[in-house]
């Protein structure tokens, strides 16, 4: 019967960046549409290993749970992917779960991704939306140059934009 | 089919008639009779999401669906002028605050609260901080020490207590009772029962055990702190719903199916006093647009 089907998950654990790593194995009750995040949550609800030892809930990051934010990325059966869309039924068991190896480890599956965000800032990895900000700025400059008094709201945003506050005539 | 009507029908099938698929809160949404090419042209993105997270091709097998909460129309009280909360110096903007949506959010109106509210709150914050005669650096350190100590004691208590309750279990039960009784269909006796259940969870929360006494990256501690607030918020929502004997927007009571502007054209305001919910009401500004009945069967 499906009710008694078990899912075996092996998690690489490390209590801190300087501690030694170890593996823990868990046996969880199978449910339909189960993914790796659900496994980690089930472990947090009953943090006991397969051989009956009490342990701590596993530290991991997650947020949107719809494969957009990327915060639940980890190594699953050796492959870096997002845990929210890693379906248990499509994975070979025991499912091996490890932290991503290219980032400094914080604890268990949590890694410090700060340098990635810094790199994104360095290459300005975003798109100005439809030139909206620039066209708004141009319109505000024209208005100001023709003697119109801008609101505190407009002035505030103009100061923040590239180029800053345009000189008034 | 308007989504509130479809949603109530699903809710009834699952909770009143207990006919959810495999006993789970789900019903089938079947599109398999529509040709694959049509589906891929019209719904490809949505069907792909389903396939990705459920591992089943919805072009071949019916989808299991259930209404999900994805937005809160209520939130932190702020004033209409500059988004200031009732705590001096703290401003709120976006989905976390209560303005704009009333009993139902119109599509795309969440952007209003983000962009307009954010613009107001941003400028107000600058203005407020410039108006202060002294800043944090000239505040007596005792003020900060006191709060730091309070928070540390709270954390220490949660980490060290040897309770019998698991925070995830309480969270799951809270979600179940809220989904069944305090979402799309609200019945007073069920709301009272739900409030009772939430109060029990509040008691059980006092006996939680984090299963983790470490202080480094202890996510269960964060979760437990959030859970405490979730329970308070759940009580606020339940009690507000219980008091409002009418149907309005997303708030639907089968025992009071009509909108009652004479008694309920007002916003619920909740305050947490002595570990309990205190409700008061504030008027709704209808000076620009007069309320009219919402009808699906007539042209606007």
């Amino acid at each position: 019967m499906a009710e008694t089907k078990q899912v075996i998950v092996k998690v690489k654990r490390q209590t801190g960046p300087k501690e030694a790593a170890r593996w823990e194995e868990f046996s969880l009750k199978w449910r339909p549409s189960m993914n790796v995040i659900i496994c980690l949550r089930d472990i947090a609800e009953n943090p006991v290993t397969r051989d009956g030892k009490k342990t701590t809930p596993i530290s991991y990051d997650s947020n949107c749970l719809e494969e957009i934010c990327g915060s639940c990325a980890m190594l699953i059966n050796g492959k870096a992917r997002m845990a929210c869309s890693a379906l248990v039924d499509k994975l070979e068991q025991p499912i091996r779960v490890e932290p991503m190896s290219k980032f400094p480890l914080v604890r268990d599956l949590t890694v410090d991704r700060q340098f990635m965000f810094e790199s994104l800032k360095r290459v300005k990895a975003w798109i100005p939306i439809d030139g909206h900000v620039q066209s708004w700025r141009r319109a505000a400059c024209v208005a100001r140059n023709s003697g119109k008094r801008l609101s505190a709201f407009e002035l505030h945003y103009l100061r923040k934009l590239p180029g800053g506050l345009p000189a008034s005539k | 089919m308007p989504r509130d009507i479809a949603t109530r029908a699903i809710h009834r099938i699952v909770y009143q008639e207990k006919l959810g698929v495999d006993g789970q809160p789900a019903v089938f949404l079947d599109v398999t009779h529509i040709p694959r090419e049509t589906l891929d042209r019209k719904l490809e993105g949505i069907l792909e999401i389903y396939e990705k997270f459920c591992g089943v091709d919805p072009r071949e097998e019916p989808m299991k669906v259930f209404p999900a909460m994805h937005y809160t129309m209520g939130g932190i009280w702020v004033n209409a002028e500059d988004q200031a909360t009732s705590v001096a110096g703290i401003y709120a903007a976006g989905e976390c605050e209560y303005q704009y949506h009333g009993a139902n959010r119109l599509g795309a109106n969440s952007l209003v609260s983000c962009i307009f509210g954010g613009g107001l709150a941003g400028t107000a914050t600058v203005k407020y901080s410039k108006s202060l005669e002294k800043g944090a650096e000239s505040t007596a350190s005792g003020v900060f020490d006191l709060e730091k100590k309070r928070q540390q004691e709270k954390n220490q208590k949660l980490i060290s207590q040897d309770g019998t309750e698991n925070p995830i279990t309480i969270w799951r039960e809270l979600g179940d009772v809220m989904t069944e009784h305090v979402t799309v269909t609200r019945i007073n006796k069920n709301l009272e029962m739900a409030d009772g259940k939430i109060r029990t969870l509040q008691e059980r929360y006092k006996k939680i055990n984090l299963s983790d006494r470490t202080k480094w990256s202890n996510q269960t501690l964060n979760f437990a702190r959030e859970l405490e607030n979730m329970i308070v918020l759940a009580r606020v929502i339940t009690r507000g719903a219980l008091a409002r004997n009418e149907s309005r927007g997303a708030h639907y009571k089968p025992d009071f199916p009509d909108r009652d502007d004479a008694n309920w054209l007002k916003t619920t305001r909740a305050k947490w006093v002595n570990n309990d919910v205190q409700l008061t009401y504030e008027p709704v500004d209808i000076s620009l647009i007069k309320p009219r009945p919402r009808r699906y069967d007539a042209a606007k």
Side-chain angles (χ1 to χ4, degrees), chain A residues 131-152:
Chain A
H132 165 82
V133 173
Q134 284 79 356
S135 56
W136 179 80
R137 184 175 190 276
R138 267 197 303 278
C141 291
V142 170
R144 194 162 201 239
N145 288 337
S146 61
K148 186 184 166 248
R149 207 168 155 258
L150 298 181
S151 70

Side-chain angles (χ1 to χ4, degrees), chain B:
Chain B
M1 170 77 60
R3 61 176 155 180
D4 52 342
I5 291 174
T7 298
R8 280 171 213 148
I10 299 172
H11 202 267
R12 178 172 55 79
I13 294 293
V14 166
Y15 290 116
Q16 278 174 35
E17 304 190 13
K18 315 269 180 216
L19 288 173
V21 180
D22 299 330
Q24 299 293 311
V27 299
F28 283 125
L29 172 59
D30 189 3
V31 295
T32 57
H33 59 289
I34 302 171
R36 186 171 271 271
E37 308 78 65
T38 315
L39 289 174
D40 283 344
R41 196 176 64 244
K42 293 194 164 176
L43 294 167
E44 193 182 14
I46 291 172
L47 298 183
E48 269 178 5
I49 292 172
Y50 185 87
E51 196 169 1
K52 179 177 281 171
F53 287 95
C54 299
V56 172
D57 184 355
R59 299 163 197 88
E60 302 288 333
E61 275 183 51
M63 290 178 273
K64 286 191 258 179
V65 298
F66 191 70
M69 281 61 67
H70 67 102
Y71 199 93
T72 52
M73 271 101 62
I76 302 166
W77 182 88
V78 291
N79 74 19
E81 290 74 43
D82 63 1
Q83 310 281 132
T85 66
S86 54
V87 180
I90 295 193
Y91 296 78
E95 188 178 348
C96 68
E97 53 100 337
Y98 88 104
Q99 299 186 97
Y100 314 119
H101 309 305
N104 224 347
R105 178 177 67 87
L106 298 175
N109 254 7
S110 49
L111 285 177
V112 170
S113 62
C114 277
I115 297 172
F116 181 71
L120 284 182
T123 38
T125 311
V126 175
K127 200 172 146 200
Y128 175 82
S129 52
K130 284 189 176 156
S131 75
L132 293 176
E133 280 173 23
K134 56 178 188 176
E137 66 286 348
S138 51
T139 305
S141 66
V143 175
F144 300 109
D145 294 341
L146 205 69
E147 183 57 20
K148 197 172 161 194
K149 190 162 165 269
R150 200 173 74 93
Q151 296 298 337
Q152 279 170 340
E153 279 170 2
K154 197 172 174 176
N155 289 349
Q156 193 52 45
K157 186 172 177 297
L158 280 168
I159 281 186
S160 57
Q161 73 183 23
D162 215 2
T164 48
E165 295 284 349
N166 180 285
I168 306 265
T169 308
I170 294 182
W171 168 78
R172 209 187 285 280
E173 288 183 34
L174 179 67
D176 288 345
V177 74
M178 290 299 284
T179 304
E180 181 168 356
H181 299 302
V182 204
T183 53
V184 295
T185 300
R186 294 160 161 192
I187 296 165
N188 281 352
K189 73 170 172 25
N190 293 349
L191 290 170
E192 274 164 27
M193 197 263 291
D195 189 45
K197 166 83 182 177
I198 304 164
R199 272 185 279 131
T200 329
L201 293 175
Q202 218 172 358
E203 283 306 307
R204 283 170 53 192
Y205 178 86
K206 292 177 185 162
K207 288 178 279 189
I208 58 169
N209 187 327
L210 303 189
S211 319
D212 186 356
R213 296 186 194 277
T214 51
K215 288 188 177 168
W216 174 252
S217 185
N218 187 332
Q219 293 179 335
T220 319
L221 173 64
N222 289 348
F223 184 78
R225 290 182 58 120
E226 284 173 8
L227 179 62
E228 186 182 10
N229 298 333
M230 286 182 216
I231 295 171
V232 169
L233 192 55
R235 290 208 59 204
V236 166
I237 294 169
T238 308
R239 290 283 299 282
L242 181 59
R244 184 176 284 272
N245 281 332
E246 64 157 354
S247 291
R248 178 184 297 273
H251 170 77
Y252 172 67
K253 280 190 174 175
D255 298 331
F256 304 89
D258 298 319
R259 198 173 79 193
D260 177 4
D261 285 348
N263 293 304
W264 289 103
L265 183 54
K266 53 191 180 183
T267 299
T268 308
R269 197 159 60 181
K271 206 171 174 181
W272 193 243
V273 184
N274 297 328
N275 210 29
D276 206 355
V277 184
Q278 198 181 72
L279 300 178
T280 53
Y281 296 90
E282 63 178 40
V284 178
D285 181 0
I286 50 165
S287 59
L288 296 175
I289 299 172
K290 295 283 172 244
R292 56 177 188 267
R294 180 176 185 233
R295 289 176 58 182
Y296 292 124
D297 58 343
K300 275 171 195 157

